[in-house]
Amino acid sequence: MHLARYPRRFIAHLPTPLERLDRLTKELGGPEIWIKRDDCTGLSTGGNKTRKLEFLMAEAELQEADVVITQGATQSNHARQTAAFAAKLGIQCHLLLEDRTGSDNANYKNNGNVLLDHLHGATTETRPGGLDMNAEMEAVAERMRAEGRKVYTIPGGGSNATGALGYVNCAFELLGQANDRGLRIDRLVPRKDVRMVLTDGGPSDFGLAGRAAEKLAELGYGNVRVLTGGTAGWKAEGFEVFSGVNVPSKAFGEYVEHWYDTPRLPAEELHSRVEAGEDIVILDSRPMTEFNRMSIPGGVDCPGAELVYRVAEMAPDPNTTIVVNCAGRTRSIIGCQSLVNAGLPNKIYALKDGTMGWNLAGYDVARGETTHAPAPSGDTLDLAKQRAAEVAARFGVTRTNAAELARWQGEAETTTYLLDVRT
């Protein structure tokens, strides 16, 4: 599912932590129990409804609403987060609060979330329990529309198709976190008899690799070894070590740039060309979450694996200059070179040092952008297919089919990785 096609306001602090509940797991005798900390979403003391509101409030903005109405119980977390979200966007919020308890306690009626609702600038109305609150909300909305207001209504809990997109994103988030923590080691290392060497930092990590080996043994991996002394021991023996993260991919990017002499453009030169009004398209090769956090003004998100697929929609004129950027170097180099290899007639450059270099050069960056390169159609789709076929032929890329893939996956003595490169 391509979430980038839906309008979204990125406000939540995501991904929220995923934590193992060791003592509860032990108390219950398994299975492993984990908790997704959506209390850490960040908006007005947090809560899971912020996920839904990222999509709901973006839709409200798209409809040019000047007031948002929702409903919930007196101490509704959803109402409180809606009021906070609306305040951040400068949209009025009106809440219908249902008394579901019949309590006369002044603290219950006026403190807690109700106090926060008012601190966020929301106006409120109360209703007795048992009413059809969505019908009550629609009646208030009609009254406001009659007064000339542009109203956007959100059902209780943000529970509709638009709000549900927040939990589609949560599913993607959970999958990534599970992979990061080795909860899906079977996907990364599907063969249980593969030779595996584990390493940690050495004595300072207090047996981390050893504990990982024990866990892998529990999961059925029978050929696991621990590197004596860890990475520190490896270095002490005189062997080479590398610093940083994502080292293999970065090394590959440097190799590609050196081998092909990939064209690159410093931030200063890009800035001067843009200021001069040159015909330039800036394609950001990172995922939407990174693009939204910080991007080059005027840039468009187009993750690297789809650059050749989408570029003709963004730069149909061969005289248009194309600049590919990422946060630093690697993905811009690979993205730029992929377009060069595809035979585009345009001048194509990788932005030297990416958004970080742009920012360090003293230029403003954009935040909160959501523009995504459109999918090709018609002639541009045919052109994308033609370019891809020519690259595949030049580099000897072969094809398979579903039956052959299934056979490979069933072979116990080999490992087959299936990579989905779509955004």
Side-chain angles (χ1 to χ4, degrees):
M1 184 174 188
H2 301 287
L3 284 178
R5 72 182 64 172
Y6 300 100
R8 179 180 177 188
R9 265 294 197 158
F10 291 80
I11 285 182
H13 297 177
L14 302 178
T16 54
L18 180 65
E19 298 179 0
R20 188 179 189 273
L21 303 183
D22 293 319
R23 285 178 290 184
L24 184 57
T25 296
K26 182 178 179 181
E27 178 68 23
L28 298 178
E32 290 187 18
I33 299 175
W34 294 71
I35 184 170
K36 185 79 167 121
R37 294 289 307 278
D38 270 14
D39 57 312
C40 300
T41 54
L43 183 66
S44 185
T45 75
N48 66 325
K49 297 302 188 292
T50 303
R51 292 185 180 275
K52 296 181 176 182
L53 288 166
E54 286 196 326
F55 293 91
L56 291 162
M57 295 300 286
E59 191 171 78
E61 282 192 310
L62 198 63
Q63 296 180 16
E64 299 182 341
D66 59 20
V67 59
V68 170
I69 306 176
T70 193
Q71 55 88 5
T74 301
Q75 289 290 336
S76 166
N77 290 332
H78 162 69
R80 179 246 306 160
Q81 288 181 72
T82 303
F85 214 123
K88 288 187 75 71
L89 301 186
I91 300 175
Q92 182 187 342
C93 179
H94 188 71
L95 305 174
L96 270 68
L97 302 180
E98 180 186 9
D99 181 7
R100 298 176 185 172
T101 67
S103 172
D104 290 327
N105 186 286
N107 280 326
Y108 178 77
K109 288 188 172 183
N110 301 303
N111 283 329
N113 281 339
V114 177
L115 175 61
L116 291 173
D117 294 339
H118 292 146
L119 287 175
H120 293 316
T123 53
T124 59
E125 296 182 33
T126 59
R127 295 289 188 274
L131 297 181
D132 183 339
M133 290 299 291
N134 281 329
E136 292 291 314
M137 180 174 65
E138 287 302 325
V140 173
E142 285 303 312
R143 184 186 76 209
M144 289 189 172
R145 291 186 183 108
E147 296 170 354
R149 306 298 299 276
K150 293 182 179 180
V151 180
Y152 181 83
T153 58
I154 299 176
S159 298
N160 61 11
T162 300
L165 293 171
Y167 272 87
V168 174
N169 184 63
C170 185
F172 291 144
E173 194 177 296
L174 271 170
L175 180 60
Q177 289 176 310
N179 286 338
D180 288 344
R181 285 159 176 74
L183 302 181
R184 296 303 304 274
I185 186 67
D186 56 304
R187 294 187 66 188
L188 300 175
V189 189
R191 284 174 50 212
K192 298 295 178 70
D193 62 342
V194 70
R195 182 187 302 164
M196 197 183 312
V197 178
L198 305 181
T199 182
D200 52 26
S204 62
D205 278 340
F206 303 102
L208 178 63
R211 295 197 301 275
E214 292 173 2
K215 180 64 179 177
L216 288 171
E218 293 174 10
L219 295 173
Y221 290 89
N223 195 7
V224 180
R225 301 290 185 273
V226 173
L227 180 63
T228 302
T231 304
W234 175 271
K235 183 178 180 180
E237 291 292 330
F239 299 116
E240 187 174 7
V241 296
F242 298 94
S243 62
V245 295
N246 302 318
V247 171
S249 61
K250 289 178 179 177
F252 177 64
E254 298 302 312
Y255 173 82
V256 167
E257 183 184 44
H258 175 76
W259 182 262
Y260 286 103
D261 194 21
T262 304
R264 50 201 172 276
L265 197 68
E268 295 80 2
E269 186 172 348
L270 174 60
H271 184 266
S272 64
R273 290 190 180 193
V274 170
E275 289 293 299
E278 289 190 24
D279 183 10
I280 294 177
V281 167
I282 302 171
L283 299 179
D284 193 311
S285 62
R286 301 171 297 162
M288 175 58 73
T289 50
E290 292 185 61
F291 173 74
N292 176 264
R293 193 174 301 123
M294 184 171 72
S295 62
I296 308 298
V300 174
D301 186 53
C302 187
E306 296 196 350
L307 280 166
V308 175
Y309 177 63
R310 297 176 185 267
V311 68
E313 287 289 335
M314 295 301 305
D317 187 342
N319 295 312
T320 300
T321 297
I322 300 170
V323 177
V324 181
N325 79 275
C326 63
R329 290 175 50 82
T330 306
R331 288 172 288 183
S332 61
I333 294 169
I334 300 300
C336 172
Q337 193 60 50
S338 71
L339 294 179
V340 172
N341 289 350
L344 270 74
N346 308 68
K347 291 182 179 179
I348 307 167
Y349 300 94
L351 178 61
K352 187 176 183 294
D353 300 324
T355 51
M356 290 188 293
W358 178 272
N359 197 21
L360 290 171
Y363 304 127
D364 291 335
V365 295
R367 300 186 187 277
E369 296 296 321
T370 58
T371 305
H372 193 278
S377 60
D379 291 343
T380 56
L381 178 58
D382 291 339
L383 183 58
K385 290 179 178 179
Q386 177 188 330
R387 287 169 171 166
E390 290 172 353
V391 170
R394 190 182 323 137
F395 289 95
V397 178
T398 58
R399 292 181 174 272
T400 188
N401 54 48
E404 189 172 34
L405 173 61
R407 180 174 61 79
W408 290 344
Q409 291 176 320
E411 293 175 349
E413 70 279 5
T414 60
T415 299
T416 299
Y417 293 101
L418 179 61
L419 305 179
D420 191 327
V421 299
R422 300 170 297 174
T423 56

